[in-house]
């Protein structure tokens, strides 16, 4: 509701809040967002939906989902929505984000939720046998519901040029065979 001219004090405050909210980067307020998601289930659901609508907001929404409280069905709906999109683990991701992403993927697999596509930067992973280890040292669990795994080549821009070895390709196939629904390894 907006007052006719001249606007009242509360209308001015609402306009100022909307202007300020448009320029705030949610990543600068991640602890506040995560705290709010854990504090109030309704606020958490609204915040997660808002974050998913932002460019690059899926990664931040992953952090917030794990803080969410309330109805398990609402949380599972958020997990389903995120896993229906491409899930990415990149070289520059923090250990917290990598751990949260693997937890989200594990929750999806344990609850028979399909994981559409998992994108990994080759420079952010290593193989120990047929296990994929993220650069943070976190192992990527077996994901029985993942349908596609795409691994992007090395990125020389970050000073980590690595060659894909025959052994790593073989290990990737072994990992893919552990994932029951895999349709594509690339």
């Amino acid at each position: 509701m907006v007052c006719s001219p001249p606007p009242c004090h509360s209308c001015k405050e609402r306009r100022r809040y909307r202007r300020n909210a448009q320029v705030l980067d949610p990543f600068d307020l991640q602890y506040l967002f995560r705290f709010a998601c854990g504090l109030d289930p309704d606020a958490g659901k609204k915040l997660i939906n808002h974050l998913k609508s932002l460019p690059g907001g899926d990664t931040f929404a992953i952090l917030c989902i794990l803080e969410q409280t309330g109805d398990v069905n609402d949380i599972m709906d958020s997990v389903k929505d995120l896993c229906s999109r491409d899930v990415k683990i990149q070289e520059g991701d923090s250990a917290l984000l990598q751990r949260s992403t693997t937890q989200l993927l594990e929750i999806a697999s344990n609850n028979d939720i399909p994981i559409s596509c998992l994108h990994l930067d080759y420079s952010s992973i290593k193989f120990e046998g047929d296990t994929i280890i993220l650069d943070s040292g976190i192992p990527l669990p077996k994901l029985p519901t993942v349908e596609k795994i795409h691994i992007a080549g090395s990125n020389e821009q970050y000073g980590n040029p690595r060659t894909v070895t025959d052994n790593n390709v073989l290990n990737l196939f072994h990992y893919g065979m552990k994932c029951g629904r895999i349709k594509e390894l690339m």
Side-chain angles (χ1 to χ4, degrees):
M1 179 174 125
V2 178
C3 298
S4 58
C8 68
H9 178 70
S10 65
C11 290
K12 287 180 187 177
E13 288 300 312
R14 259 188 247 125
R15 283 187 200 144
R16 187 178 352 209
Y17 171 76
R18 278 191 216 119
R19 270 194 316 271
N20 290 339
Q22 290 173 351
V23 296
L24 287 176
D25 183 0
F27 293 94
D28 293 338
L29 303 170
Q30 74 163 298
Y31 296 110
L32 177 65
F33 276 78
R34 290 171 50 206
F35 177 72
C37 287
L39 195 60
D40 182 355
D42 293 331
K45 187 175 180 179
K46 289 176 185 173
L47 284 171
I48 289 168
N49 286 333
H50 169 69
L51 292 169
K52 288 189 295 188
S53 71
L54 299 174
D58 284 354
T59 54
F60 187 36
I62 289 170
L63 293 172
C64 292
I65 285 174
L66 295 174
E67 301 290 339
Q68 196 175 9
T69 60
D71 185 20
V72 174
N73 291 329
D74 288 340
I75 296 169
M76 285 301 144
D77 287 343
S78 295
V79 171
K80 283 178 190 173
D81 184 46
L82 278 170
C83 288
S84 69
R85 308 173 192 201
D86 292 355
V87 178
K88 297 179 181 177
I89 298 177
Q90 301 173 341
E91 182 178 17
D93 292 346
S94 67
L96 173 65
L97 180 56
Q98 288 184 356
R99 188 177 312 106
S100 299
T101 304
T102 58
Q103 286 175 341
L104 177 97
L105 294 169
E106 199 166 22
I107 289 168
S109 280
N110 290 340
N111 289 283
D112 203 36
I113 297 170
I115 301 166
S116 174
C117 187
L118 175 60
H119 284 270
L120 300 169
D121 279 349
Y122 184 67
S123 55
S124 70
I125 62 172
K126 63 182 177 180
F127 291 92
E128 287 183 8
D130 58 359
T131 302
I132 296 176
I133 307 292
L134 304 176
D135 65 350
S136 59
I138 298 167
L140 189 64
K142 179 178 75 171
L143 302 169
T145 63
V146 70
E147 296 174 348
K148 298 177 186 175
I149 298 176
H150 292 179
I151 297 181
S154 64
N155 191 345
E156 294 186 38
Q157 158 184 344
Y158 296 108
N160 290 331
R162 290 179 46 201
T163 305
V164 178
T165 66
D166 293 342
N167 198 31
N168 285 347
V169 171
L170 185 61
N171 288 333
L172 177 61
F173 280 121
H174 284 289
Y175 179 84
M177 288 186 329
K178 290 195 278 182
C179 302
R181 294 187 194 166
I182 198 81
K183 297 175 185 170
E184 185 176 297
L185 282 171
M186 204 166 100

